Amino acid sequence: MDFGSFLSALTPLNLAFALLGVVAGTVIGSIPGLTATMAVAVLVPITFSMEPASALILLGAIYTGAIYGGAYAAILLNTPGTPSAIATTFDGYPMAKRGDGDLAVAIACFASVTGGMIGALALLFLAPPLAEVALAFGPVEYFWLAIFGLSLIASLSTGNLIKGLVGGAFGMILSTVGVGEISGDIRLTFGSQTMIGGFGVVGALIGLYCIPVLIDLVAVPDRHLKVEDDIRSVRIGEAFGIAIRSKFNLVRSSVIGTLVGILPGAGGSVAGLVAYSEAKRSAKPGQKFGEGEPDGIMATEAANNATVGGGFIPTLVLGIPGTPPDAVILGALLVQGVRTGPTLFESNGAIVYTFIYGLIIATVLMLPTGLLIGRYAYKSIVSIPKAVLVPSVGFMTIIGTFAIRNSISDVIIMLLLGTFGWVISRFGFAASPIVLGLILGPIAEQGFVQGWIIGDATGNLFGMFFGRPLSQAIIAFTIISLLYPAFTAWRRRRVAT
Amino acid sequence: MVKQKIEMLSALGRRARPVVAHGKAHDASRYGNWTRPGTLTRLDPRRNKPQRKEGPPCGAPKRTGPEVVQKPPFRMIRFLGSDQVLRRTILKAATAAAIATTTAFAAHAEIDGPVSYVIPFGPGGESDISARLQQPFFKDKFGQDLVISYQPGGGGAVGWASLNGLSGDGQTIMGVNLPHIIIQPAQKDVGYTTEGINAFYMFHYTPDAIVVKADSPYQTLQDLIDDAKVNPAAVTMSGSGKASANHLAQIKFDNMAGIKTTYVPFKGTGAAVTALLGGQVKAEWGYSTVGAKQGDAVRMLAVAMEERHPLFPDVPTFKELGFDMVGGAYRGIALPDSASDETKALWSSMIGDINADPEFRQKMLDGGFAMLDVDAEGMDAFMQARIEEYLADARAAGLIK
């Protein structure tokens, strides 16, 4: 981590790439359906003619920008722009509804920058030891992690546990449709070839979150978002104050995000949800998560941007991509002739450190650009008349879904799921448990099957699932997270009597 | 004969492009004169002299549709037979004359604008990386962008099922993988058939290899076999997917060595390697690419190649050790079946050109890949041999009925 690398990250060209990447990434990420993976993949060929370090800076900046950009749609349209921003909708959209959309966007920006910085610093200083975390996680740990994630349904669906569990189970069933990820079986397609690809997470996100919003927009005569009569010009100071007050939440969420980011196959959505539920669990009296609590946005956004730096740790140290965008970047590096893996830090140290500094610079640049673009996004969403907003968002949902894999059947599935989601929301079923089941179901299934095969082969099935220290820790967390609401309720009763 | 034809083709196919480094320029100019659209209908190879028919004089538009080009006779027959198998049979029955006609017409197929290269998997796998390696060479040689997109789902089935619905104008190509496109349709109805995939080039394969961690007690393949003989089924081996190249290799090797190991399927090679490095399994059924990527962190016990991989002169082949195993996962490219034979021949020659580039070969070898050159002409024979091999293996393993 020599000073020379820092200086070479500061060349005007590299700075320009970092700025360009952040802006492009933020805009792409804000459109539901256009994911960070897609943004990076499309731009890879442009980087072939560049210096490896510059190419990496551009791609890394796009990636981190896209993860932040996902918050806009989550806050202003209740639709996660990227899967990472699922938990941002929980409090972001209620804030926007009550007229605090600009504040929410600014808070998201501060949180994203903090998370991105902590993730990037971990990458800079702790990459080799942290890469061991990725290796320590075996199939069983992934299984328990997924179970832990599913236990969040309990804390997410306060007062509505049964409906939350039904939604989660439904999501898990949806996730099994199509060709089994590791078994190769074709399941629950009912003979239809359209269903072979199964339910994509992004398509389901767009359908379950965005379509109900659109239907409600049309059905209700009110404005989309409440706007204060006196449009306060800048709420950056206010947002900064809130962020400073919740510094502990920010740091904790960033650390969670970094650690989850290191795990290949978990990703930003899991990181955001885990951080959100932790923030909710340690809520102070008076904080109402799920009804527009700034801390909820901060937890999610800090965590999901921290996965960027975290995800690069196994990518660069082990040659194992932490997240899908990392996989694309890994491919771009190979074309450049840079071999990732155990020898990378020695053989190509200059490139790696220039890149890491570049990522840090891109994260810093995200602060001004994010605040600017955020204000613009907010103003355009609140000022556009409904008659224009609904068709343009509807158009974008279709384009976004189609773009995932150029499949018109994905669009049909998305529309059907969306309508279904609107209908069940009338009966008190929320979209989030379904999406959680859809994301975590395959992780749980794979981990379980692999853990079972290995445990069976070594003749120690019980020890495989319950005997490993890391598994035991995750199981303990799960139990705590499940019992905590009951415990606080019990304590409150005791205090009252 | 075949090779020569391909060279002719490549010269013809690229005559209008400026960035060409090819020694057959005189061929191009000679054939270029009489292969103008609309002027030629038939070519009798025995006399090696084109028969001219009156047609409208014209320049050389970049791309010519069927309304301008009069199809050679066998193309018309093709339109009559809508049935895939019939079409194939007729194709095979086509004589040298027909092939020569195709050769002449290759000049009409021309790529025009960026090409969409669909990878039916997510990013980061071997299919993606080899496509990424082709990307700059394609731009260099043919002046057009190769735009890679991912269409994951169903272990590739979603992409392949959609392949023949795409436009066959030569602007869209899709990666194909063996044994996937052979095993999947044999297992269940996945929306495509092996025969329906119009593959035109197989450009590399990743040889099967047994990989262990650097600190593994298995120093040699024999160590692993000995352990597996003493502790049946206790040797766990990770691999990418079920009924995949890794899985078939595991079953085949177990039978050959008379051992029983436990195969643990993972989602992709990356996850299988993570499990190996994390000590979750004792060994991995992977490819030589794993050795290239992981360097000193892993040790390969054997690779399934005819000769040792140049990158790993110290790693023996299975053959050397007495196991007749050569193969792995083959990767190629296909066009939608509506693509004309000219387009197919042009693409075959272009991918062949990239494959012949020494720099490209070196990059591929450095990545641990093994080169392969099966062009459009040799595809049917190659596929037939692979179909028999894979289906026999899969049947023996009980993966298909």
Side-chain angles (χ1 to χ4, degrees):
Chain A
M1 46 197 96
D2 55 321
F3 195 62
S5 303
F6 183 61
L7 287 182
S8 52
L10 280 173
T11 58
L13 190 67
N14 284 347
L15 282 177
F17 281 145
L19 185 65
L20 183 78
V22 167
V23 172
T26 310
V27 173
I28 293 170
S30 66
I31 299 170
L34 302 189
T35 59
T37 314
M38 216 179 291
V40 174
V42 168
L43 288 166
V44 159
I46 299 174
T47 64
F48 286 156
S49 52
M50 297 181 185
E51 291 288 309
S54 307
L56 269 174
I57 290 174
L58 178 63
L59 295 175
I62 291 170
Y63 178 16
T64 196
I67 297 286
Y68 164 61
Y72 294 161
I75 292 168
L76 301 173
L77 293 170
N78 198 28
T79 306
T82 59
S84 298
I86 292 173
T88 310
T89 59
F90 299 163
D91 288 294
Y93 189 58
M95 273 185 84
K97 279 222 104 146
R98 68 170 186 235
D100 285 332
D102 46 353
L103 181 67
V105 169
I107 287 173
C109 186
F110 284 117
S112 293
V113 172
T114 313
M117 279 306 277
I118 290 180
L121 289 175
L123 173 65
L124 179 61
F125 293 111
L126 297 168
L130 281 180
E132 298 295 317
V133 175
L135 296 182
F137 255 68
V140 183
E141 281 77 22
Y142 279 106
F143 167 70
W144 286 119
L145 181 71
I147 298 296
F148 175 59
L150 287 171
S151 77
L152 304 183
I153 290 175
S155 64
L156 291 180
S157 41
T158 324
N160 231 338
L161 187 57
I162 299 296
K163 282 177 179 169
L165 291 178
V166 169
F170 178 67
M172 287 179 80
I173 290 174
L174 283 189
S175 79
T176 61
V177 175
V179 177
E181 205 65 78
I182 56 167
S183 68
D185 301 325
I186 299 178
R187 305 180 293 196
L188 296 176
T189 58
F190 302 104
S192 151
Q193 281 148 15
T194 323
M195 306 297 286
I196 280 178
F199 288 88
V201 170
V202 180
L205 278 184
I206 298 173
L208 287 171
Y209 284 97
C210 203
I211 299 298
V213 172
L214 289 180
I215 294 177
D216 283 341
L217 273 179
V218 178
V220 184
D222 307 344
R223 285 188 72 108
H224 170 46
L225 302 173
K226 188 169 170 267
V227 187
E228 296 292 322
D229 294 333
D230 54 326
I231 292 183
R232 288 151 292 187
S233 56
V234 190
R235 300 186 69 182
I236 295 171
E238 195 183 340
F240 185 69
I242 294 175
I244 289 293
R245 247 175 287 142
S246 305
K247 51 189 173 304
F248 181 69
N249 177 17
L250 277 179
V251 173
R252 180 188 54 214
S253 305
S254 304
V255 172
I256 290 174
T258 308
L259 289 176
V260 177
I262 294 168
L263 305 176
S269 49
V270 178
L273 286 162
V274 172
Y276 181 85
S277 77
E278 268 311 296
K280 187 176 178 184
R281 202 175 54 76
S282 52
K284 295 182 202 77
Q287 284 189 321
K288 282 191 178 146
F289 278 84
E291 294 171 27
E293 171 57 49
D295 263 317
I297 299 175
M298 264 188 280
T300 318
E301 285 302 309
N304 66 25
N305 267 87
T307 58
V308 176
F312 274 115
I313 291 175
T315 311
L316 295 177
V317 178
L318 303 171
I320 296 162
T323 59
D326 289 334
V328 182
I329 295 175
L330 195 67
L333 273 176
L334 279 171
V335 176
Q336 293 265 11
V338 178
R339 297 243 155 269
T340 55
T343 56
L344 176 72
F345 278 76
E346 288 107 68
S347 58
N348 283 307
I351 294 173
V352 176
Y353 286 113
T354 306
F355 160 64
I356 297 175
Y357 288 121
L359 192 64
I360 292 174
I361 291 165
T363 309
V364 173
L365 288 174
M366 205 158 75
L367 191 60
T369 54
L371 289 172
L372 267 176
I373 301 174
R375 269 191 61 193
Y376 180 75
Y378 173 71
K379 280 194 174 154
S380 43
I381 292 285
V382 293
S383 58
I384 290 177
K386 241 182 182 180
V388 180
L389 183 71
V390 174
S392 30
V393 173
F395 179 70
M396 246 142 66
T397 60
I398 288 173
I399 294 292
T401 314
F402 183 76
I404 301 163
R405 44 188 184 196
N406 297 333
S407 151
I408 197 74
S409 51
D410 278 356
V411 177
I412 295 165
I413 290 174
M414 181 276 286
L415 290 172
L416 289 177
L417 260 185
T419 318
F420 175 75
W422 181 77
V423 171
I424 60 169
S425 72
R426 304 287 99 186
F427 297 96
F429 290 93
S432 300
I434 301 177
V435 172
L436 212 56
L438 192 57
I439 290 174
L440 295 171
I443 301 178
E445 185 198 340
Q446 286 167 36
F448 183 78
V449 172
Q450 289 156 354
W452 188 280
I453 293 174
I454 296 173
D456 195 38
T458 50
N460 187 10
L461 213 46
F462 185 81
M464 187 73 201
F465 277 93
F466 299 99
R468 296 159 59 108
L470 206 52
S471 295
Q472 289 167 342
I474 304 173
I475 295 171
F477 272 118
T478 311
I479 294 171
I480 293 171
S481 131
L482 279 176
L483 294 185
Y484 198 81
F487 171 72
T488 45
W490 173 77
R491 202 175 52 182
R492 214 173 297 135
R493 264 202 311 276
R494 253 178 74 104
V495 170
T497 49
Chain B
M1 169 69 181
V2 168
K3 186 75 192 161
Q4 191 192 351
K5 206 171 293 150
I6 288 302
E7 282 188 359
M8 259 165 56
L9 271 174
S10 52
L12 287 167
R14 282 178 291 129
R15 99 200 114 84
R17 282 180 295 271
V19 202
V20 181
H22 207 282
K24 295 266 175 179
H26 60 283
D27 278 355
S29 55
R30 201 177 80 218
Y31 293 123
N33 286 332
W34 50 259
T35 53
R36 290 237 177 96
T39 57
L40 179 104
T41 50
R42 275 186 74 207
L43 170 71
D44 186 347
R46 279 159 299 183
R47 272 180 283 165
N48 198 19
K49 190 178 152 201
Q51 295 178 355
R52 276 169 187 272
K53 214 182 179 184
E54 277 199 5
C58 60
K62 264 232 144 184
R63 202 153 28 127
T64 51
E67 69 283 357
V68 186
V69 185
Q70 257 189 292
K71 293 285 172 188
F74 82 96
R75 290 278 304 165
M76 292 182 209
I77 301 169
R78 272 189 66 170
F79 284 123
L80 297 175
S82 62
D83 179 35
Q84 192 67 43
V85 182
L86 176 65
R87 235 192 254 182
R88 291 255 148 191
T89 324
I90 293 167
L91 253 185
K92 275 180 195 160
T95 58
I99 297 171
T101 318
T102 318
T103 309
F105 269 85
H108 300 312
E110 184 96 39
I111 53 158
D112 184 13
V115 174
S116 166
Y117 189 175
V118 184
I119 300 295
F121 296 96
E126 290 86 0
S127 306
D128 176 36
I129 285 166
S130 51
R132 290 285 179 199
L133 286 170
Q134 286 175 320
Q135 214 172 11
F137 289 91
F138 187 82
K139 171 91 180 167
D140 234 35
K141 287 184 193 299
F142 310 112
Q144 297 292 355
D145 283 312
L146 202 53
V147 182
I148 293 174
S149 61
Y150 308 102
Q151 194 180 357
V158 172
W160 294 315
S162 75
L163 172 61
N164 287 342
L166 301 171
S167 162
D169 61 358
Q171 299 302 120
T172 307
I173 56 175
M174 188 181 283
V176 290
N177 300 48
L178 302 185
H180 309 55
I181 60 167
I182 294 173
I183 301 289
Q184 284 176 356
Q187 281 185 310
K188 261 183 187 178
D189 180 11
V190 281
Y192 71 92
T193 59
T194 310
E195 291 73 27
I197 300 282
N198 187 17
F200 61 84
Y201 210 98
M202 290 285 161
F203 68 103
H204 79 270
Y205 75 105
T206 43
D208 294 319
I210 296 183
V211 191
V212 296
K213 252 178 107 174
D215 58 6
S216 162
Y218 304 144
Q219 293 297 328
T220 64
L221 188 62
Q222 195 57 45
D223 293 344
L224 186 142
I225 295 172
D226 291 345
D227 188 15
K229 281 206 165 130
V230 180
N231 305 302
V235 176
T236 48
M237 301 181 86
S238 61
S240 168
K242 211 164 182 185
S244 58
N246 292 155
H247 192 194
L248 288 176
Q250 181 257 349
I251 293 166
K252 200 172 178 179
F253 180 74
D254 274 13
N255 284 337
M256 280 182 178
I259 56 173
K260 189 167 164 22
T261 59
T262 299
Y263 180 80
V264 190
F266 279 82
K267 184 186 170 184
T269 304
V273 173
T274 313
L276 174 76
L277 294 176
Q280 319 291 347
V281 290
K282 290 184 177 163
E284 190 222 351
W285 266 107
Y287 307 117
S288 50
T289 44
V290 175
K293 214 167 175 182
Q294 292 299 328
D296 292 341
V298 298
R299 175 167 59 244
M300 289 200 287
L301 300 182
V303 289
M305 295 178 74
E306 289 284 354
E307 282 160 25
R308 293 187 177 196
H309 194 287
L311 199 61
F312 313 104
D314 300 331
V315 178
T317 64
F318 281 100
K319 271 199 153 170
E320 283 174 53
L321 301 170
F323 303 99
D324 186 21
M325 268 186 77
V326 175
Y330 297 85
R331 291 182 190 82
I333 311 176
L335 279 158
D337 65 352
S338 56
S340 67
D341 296 276
E342 299 87 271
T343 305
K344 192 171 167 180
L346 171 68
W347 265 108
S348 176
S349 77
M350 287 196 294
I351 297 301
D353 263 9
I354 295 175
N355 239 27
D357 189 297
E359 201 191 329
F360 176 72
R361 292 186 88 85
Q362 193 55 48
K363 281 198 165 183
M364 289 288 284
L365 288 178
D366 285 347
F369 297 94
M371 302 308 288
L372 190 69
D373 282 284
V374 180
D375 60 17
E377 309 259 328
M379 190 56 69
D380 282 348
F382 175 81
M383 282 300 290
Q384 207 49 49
R386 292 285 90 70
I387 288 172
E388 278 164 24
E389 183 191 334
Y390 282 129
L391 289 188
D393 287 353
R395 219 168 272 130
L399 295 173
I400 53 173
K401 277 150 210 137

